[in-house]
Amino acid sequence: MKSQRQAKIMEIISNRNVETQEQLLQELQSAGFRSTQATISRDIKELRIVKELTSFGTYRYTAATDEVSSTFSGKLNTIFRECITSFDYAQNMLVIRTLPGLASAAASAIDAMNMSVVVGTIAGDDTVFIVMRDTNAAAAFCGEIKNLLN
């Protein structure tokens, strides 16, 4: 059922401008799928669905265009698990603290992911500063980091 639901989610976001999880949930229910907002939220994360700015100035869900290789993903997980000491966000800005000398590696790993929601990164010795497209993207990325560390 999960794979069918996720396939339907991908179909819906590729054929319609879906701006919110509530809209996505309604579309799924119209297609005969019973689900909850929490399940939709997990599906969005698992499917690496992001919000992109439309030509009308609104946002819509879309599939991430750039795939990260599994080896790189493993290296990124290792970098994060081994060197991040703390992280937080304020609006669309994210600050990651690392062990001394490892911020550049963490920033480089983030840059190599080519995420459309990341505007850019700046790294010092033990601090990475990330500008995200919006607050939701920053919050979601913080959630991903938290999951990696747990």
Side-chain angles (χ1 to χ4, degrees):
M1 188 62 152
K2 177 180 177 178
S3 60
Q4 293 171 339
R5 182 184 65 246
Q6 289 184 345
K8 189 64 174 178
I9 288 171
M10 295 304 286
E11 178 186 325
I12 290 169
I13 66 166
S14 41
N15 294 326
R16 296 178 186 83
N17 283 342
V18 178
E19 295 182 36
T20 65
Q21 288 182 12
E22 292 79 20
Q23 283 179 303
L24 184 55
L25 183 59
Q26 288 173 353
E27 292 286 342
L28 278 173
Q29 288 172 343
S30 296
F33 289 87
R34 294 181 54 103
S35 192
T36 65
Q37 187 275 328
T39 301
I40 299 303
S41 182
R42 283 189 297 274
D43 287 339
I44 287 170
K45 181 179 177 183
E46 285 179 23
L47 294 169
R48 295 188 53 124
I49 294 173
V50 296
K51 282 192 172 184
E52 72 176 1
L53 186 63
T54 68
S55 58
F56 302 109
T58 60
Y59 286 92
R60 72 179 197 97
Y61 285 116
T62 186
T65 56
D66 297 316
E67 290 298 319
V68 179
S69 72
S70 61
T71 40
F72 182 78
S73 184
K75 288 178 184 177
L76 176 64
N77 288 344
T78 300
I79 289 170
F80 274 31
R81 275 193 218 108
E82 299 298 323
C83 76
I84 291 182
T85 59
S86 68
F87 58 93
D88 204 355
Y89 75 99
Q91 295 190 1
N92 69 321
M93 298 171 288
L94 194 83
V95 174
I96 299 175
R97 302 269 186 201
T98 70
L99 294 172
L102 295 176
S104 183
S108 181
I110 292 165
D111 289 341
M113 291 175 72
N114 294 319
M115 294 184 292
S116 62
V117 294
V118 175
V119 176
T121 62
I122 298 173
D125 183 55
D126 63 355
T127 305
V128 179
F129 178 76
I130 306 167
V131 176
M132 307 294 283
R133 294 238 177 255
D134 57 38
T135 302
N136 291 337
F141 195 62
C142 268
E144 288 183 35
I145 293 170
K146 184 177 182 179
N147 288 338
L148 285 172
L149 296 178
N150 289 334

